[in-house]
Amino acid sequence: MASSPAVLKKIARMKDAIMGAVDVPVFTLWKDESLGFPNKAAARLMHQDVDPTTADAYDLLSRFRLYTEDFKRELAPEEFPIVQLCRTEKPFSRWKVGIIDAKGQHLSFDVCGEGIHDEKTGEFLAGIVVLKDVTEWYEYTGRSVVESSGTGWANAFHPDDVPEAKRQWEHSLATGDQYAIEYRCRRYDGEWRWMLGRALPLRDSRTNTIVKWFGTCTDIHEQVQARQEARRTRQQLLNVIEHAQTTVWVVDRDRNLTFLEGKLMWDDSETDITEESIGHNVYEVFGRHRGQVDLPLYRAPIEMILDGKCSERVSEHHLNGNGRWFRTRFIAMLGAGCGNGGVDEKKVEGVIGISMDVTELKDHEARMREQEKENMRLLSAEAAAKAASSLKSQFLANMSHEIRTPIAGVIGMSELLLDTGLEPEQRECAENIQRSANGLLTVINDILDLSKVESGRLDIEEVQFSLSVVVSDVSKMLSFAAERKNLRFESDVGIDSHQDIIVMGDPGRVRQILTNLLTNSIKFTSEGYVSLAVKIQKETAETVEVMFTVEDTGIGIEEEVRKRLFKPFSQADSSTARRFGGTGLGLTISKNVS
């Protein structure tokens, strides 16, 4: 067994090692002030290195440069807190001093002093002081020692955070629990920074009562900001998942869920099962409710990916219960850990599943297919209608030619008959035959033109002709028709023989359009006038723009009826045909040949 001196030497060395490992300056002084001992942190504040076992205590203390807290006066050794502790044998705390170290740095300290007593007799043996460096507090906050004295230190904290910090501090004082809280502190530049305040109680070994508290303040502003940003990002992700009707989940190699956001597809309830599902077997969780029916659709892709047979799979399935369609993408999560502590980037660590409600997409696809079928049916019907219309127009064109030949014979023979000496009754019958034949020929010509238009066989000539001559001929011809109905025919033609314009076009079609328009005006006007105005709107070296205007004082046309005017066989009123005659083709033909 080792001798007592050897044991004491070992104990002394271990105590020295403990004191040296403490990064807080600590100084001890025997009660008669004959021997002092600083730890390594305190020795670094001295201006010269001293061996405490051989040097005089006062010589040791003289190596420190202690000042008042405002550094206005240097303290004598007998004013040092450790000397006062040994002389008064009274503990103290929050004794503020300033120290100028060997490097010339001005440091501020809070000093706490306690006595070392004999465990049996309670005799005061030595004093020990602990120096807490508060220099960083003053530099960080930019507040002076005076401003931080008493409760002034609390003014550096955000007023919104003080009540909670105070409540927790009072709780720690009452219970002795560790104090830990986050609050905002105003830095020297005015910026509010997040801090972590922590404090632990120091208890008396004999009575277990709290002697003092040791606390720290740590700037954690960047960590808090990163945490808040991560929280915002997570909330944004959850909002996206919720509104996108998507479920995201992750399973590890043990088939346990490590992440689950979004409600299960087959679960129509609003209950959030995320927390209770994490850490549970994926097949157990997905096997609840109606999910058991769909388990094979999940089990096969998960097992294939975990076995390394594929890295990605996609499946679609329809839930009979709620009639919804879902598409799930299974993706391998790489980067599993190895036995040596490393990470294998090629090894499958788990499976990521993204399930999306595609019911609307499926419905849209179904509607598109139906629409495509309907479009094909309509295209077929349109093609058939066009073919039937073309056959009809071709038939009408052929029949019109066939009918016009005998009608021309009737008209010719009636004209010859009228040239003979006929009795009044016979002449009246012959004239009636001629008028009817001319009326029938007009109808046949209109039908022939319309059929040519519809079948695309209407030919438009392009020859030189005099526009003034065509307009003059039409005016003369229709003026006689107007006079027969006692109507005034007005002609305002801005083109005369001196301004004759030779143009390229189809004079017959121009004459046909003007005749149709003027004939309609004369037909539907019982009194007043019918007028034709022709004016040159714009003329260049190559083109001339002419405006034709036909006006009358007839029965007029209602706004609702105008939409039907240019449709074949359509008139403003069904009674119009009975009263005025006509087929309703004139305007249709005029529009198509213009």
Side-chain angles (χ1 to χ4, degrees):
M1 184 174 178
S3 62
S4 296
V7 173
L8 293 176
K9 186 175 181 180
K10 291 179 180 179
I11 293 175
R13 292 186 63 179
M14 287 189 291
K15 287 185 176 181
D16 291 344
I18 293 173
M19 290 291 291
V22 176
D23 198 29
V24 177
V26 178
F27 193 92
T28 59
L29 183 66
W30 197 252
K31 63 180 179 178
D32 60 3
E33 305 172 14
S34 62
L35 180 64
F37 178 84
N39 70 344
K40 290 183 179 180
R44 285 196 291 268
L45 300 175
M46 298 169 58
H47 282 252
Q48 295 182 18
D49 293 335
V50 175
D51 183 357
T53 61
T54 59
D56 180 79
Y58 267 84
D59 182 53
L60 181 66
L61 292 174
S62 66
R63 308 298 173 88
F64 292 96
R65 296 288 184 265
L66 266 67
Y67 294 80
T68 57
E69 61 180 349
D70 55 6
F71 289 91
K72 291 184 178 180
R73 184 177 66 84
E74 184 175 1
L75 301 179
E78 58 270 15
E79 295 180 283
F80 286 8
I82 185 64
V83 176
Q84 292 296 313
L85 174 62
C86 290
R87 291 180 181 181
T88 63
E89 297 184 3
K90 294 181 179 181
F92 58 81
S93 62
R94 294 186 177 277
W95 188 329
K96 299 184 183 299
V97 298
I99 295 180
I100 300 177
D101 66 5
K103 298 179 181 180
Q105 298 183 101
H106 288 58
L107 306 176
S108 297
F109 289 89
D110 274 347
V111 184
C112 299
E114 290 285 342
I116 301 175
H117 300 80
D118 186 285
E119 294 183 359
K120 294 181 179 179
T121 64
E123 179 187 1
F124 183 90
L125 301 178
I128 179 171
V129 292
V130 178
L131 290 80
K132 180 181 178 183
D133 190 346
V134 293
T135 308
E136 292 186 2
W137 167 261
Y138 301 122
E139 292 179 350
Y140 186 89
T141 62
R143 304 178 67 83
S144 66
V145 175
V146 175
E147 292 174 326
S148 301
S149 300
T151 59
W153 57 270
N155 295 328
F157 300 130
H158 197 286
D160 293 345
D161 301 332
V162 170
E164 179 62 20
K166 183 179 179 181
R167 187 190 67 80
Q168 292 198 26
W169 175 241
E170 291 175 350
H171 172 77
S172 296
L173 289 177
T175 61
D177 293 341
Q178 177 183 352
Y179 176 73
I181 189 173
E182 294 180 3
Y183 47 77
R184 285 162 289 180
C185 179
R186 188 192 296 274
R187 201 169 59 179
Y188 61 87
D189 57 1
E191 180 184 358
W192 289 103
R193 307 275 298 180
W194 281 99
M195 306 286 289
L196 172 62
R198 290 176 292 188
L200 289 172
L202 177 63
R203 297 180 181 273
D204 187 290
S205 59
R206 293 171 299 174
T207 63
N208 199 36
T209 58
I210 298 176
V211 179
K212 63 184 67 176
W213 289 79
F214 287 99
T216 59
C217 294
T218 307
D219 189 324
I220 58 170
H221 191 72
E222 282 70 24
Q223 295 92 314
V224 172
Q225 283 189 322
R227 187 176 63 209
Q228 292 175 344
E229 182 61 30
R231 189 181 295 114
R232 283 193 296 269
T233 302
R234 172 181 169 80
Q235 189 58 46
Q236 291 173 356
L237 174 61
L238 295 181
N239 291 338
V240 170
I241 291 175
E242 179 180 357
H243 289 88
Q245 296 183 327
T246 302
T247 304
V248 182
W249 46 272
V250 180
V251 298
D252 57 19
R253 292 197 61 83
D254 295 328
R255 282 68 173 172
N256 293 328
L257 283 167
T258 59
F259 181 87
L260 174 62
E261 291 295 345
K263 60 184 252 181
L264 297 179
M265 295 170 292
W266 48 82
D267 189 2
D268 294 328
S269 67
E270 298 297 328
T271 305
D272 186 2
I273 64 168
T274 299
E275 295 297 331
E276 65 183 51
S277 300
I278 299 300
H280 291 268
N281 185 275
V282 62
Y283 303 130
E284 175 190 343
V285 176
F286 286 5
R288 301 172 188 170
H289 309 290
R290 292 186 44 80
Q292 189 172 5
V293 180
D294 303 288
L295 269 182
L297 298 170
Y298 282 84
R299 189 185 298 273
I302 291 175
E303 295 301 326
M304 290 179 66
I305 292 176
L306 291 178
D307 292 341
K309 297 179 180 179
C310 63
S311 60
E312 184 175 344
R313 300 283 290 182
V314 177
S315 69
E316 289 186 357
H317 53 282
H318 180 260
L319 300 183
N320 296 326
N322 54 21
R324 310 290 297 178
W325 276 94
F326 288 88
R327 178 181 299 156
T328 302
R329 183 180 298 274
F330 304 85
I331 306 170
M333 185 169 61
L334 304 178
C338 302
N340 57 7
V343 176
D344 187 353
E345 296 294 341
K346 297 182 179 180
K347 189 176 181 181
V348 178
E349 181 182 6
V351 178
I352 302 173
I354 304 173
S355 301
M356 180 178 296
D357 189 332
V358 293
T359 305
E360 285 73 16
L361 180 60
K362 285 288 186 180
D363 292 343
H364 179 69
E365 291 177 352
R367 288 193 299 269
M368 290 298 293
R369 286 193 295 268
E370 291 297 325
Q371 186 64 41
E372 186 175 356
K373 291 180 181 179
E374 181 65 17
N375 290 341
M376 292 296 296
R377 188 186 66 79
L378 292 176
L379 287 174
S380 300
E382 181 183 5
K386 287 182 177 180
S389 177
S390 178
L391 290 174
K392 178 202 70 174
S393 299
Q394 186 175 359
F395 171 76
L396 288 175
N398 293 335
M399 290 301 297
S400 297
H401 278 291
E402 295 299 326
I403 296 174
R404 189 161 53 174
T405 300
I407 289 298
V410 172
I411 293 174
M413 294 305 294
S414 65
E415 289 179 352
L416 292 176
L417 183 61
L418 288 172
D419 290 339
T420 62
L422 297 174
E423 294 181 359
E425 185 177 357
Q426 292 174 331
R427 179 172 292 278
E428 182 181 356
C429 291
E431 289 176 350
N432 195 8
I433 291 173
Q434 188 180 37
R435 285 194 299 271
S436 299
N438 284 326
L440 182 58
L441 182 60
T442 300
V443 173
I444 292 172
N445 286 334
D446 287 346
I447 293 176
L448 179 61
D449 286 340
L450 180 63
S451 63
K452 287 182 178 180
V453 169
E454 291 181 344
S455 62
R457 295 166 55 191
L458 182 65
D459 297 327
I460 303 295
E461 294 183 345
E462 189 170 349
V463 297
Q464 286 187 354
F465 68 94
S466 172
L467 185 59
S468 59
V469 171
V470 173
V471 172
S472 178
D473 290 345
V474 173
S475 297
K476 290 178 181 179
M477 179 177 62
L478 273 300
S479 64
F480 296 130
E483 290 175 0
R484 284 197 295 269
K485 290 190 65 175
N486 295 321
L487 299 175
R488 188 172 71 256
F489 186 86
E490 298 177 357
S491 178
D492 181 13
V493 180
I495 304 172
D496 52 27
S497 58
H498 301 290
Q499 282 184 304
D500 192 14
I501 299 177
I502 305 300
V503 295
M504 294 290 293
D506 191 333
R509 297 303 177 187
V510 175
R511 184 179 288 106
Q512 182 182 17
I513 294 172
L514 292 176
T515 301
N516 282 340
L517 295 176
L518 288 169
T519 301
N520 275 355
S521 292
I522 294 171
K523 181 191 301 184
F524 296 107
T525 303
S526 58
E527 61 181 8
Y529 69 90
V530 174
S531 70
L532 170 64
V534 182
K535 294 182 180 180
I536 297 177
Q537 292 287 97
K538 184 171 61 177
E539 184 176 2
T540 65
E542 297 181 355
T543 62
V544 60
E545 185 177 314
V546 181
M547 184 175 69
F548 299 88
T549 305
V550 176
E551 293 184 5
D552 60 62
T553 57
I555 60 177
I557 305 173
E558 295 181 2
E559 188 67 30
E560 297 179 358
V561 179
R562 294 183 183 182
K563 300 177 183 179
R564 305 198 306 266
L565 283 181
F566 297 99
K567 295 182 179 180
F569 308 103
S570 176
Q571 292 186 337
D573 193 336
S574 59
S575 62
T576 301
R578 295 192 297 268
R579 180 180 174 187
F580 297 100
T583 61
L585 295 176
L587 292 181
T588 303
I589 296 171
S590 299
K591 180 181 179 181
N592 283 278
V593 301
S594 60

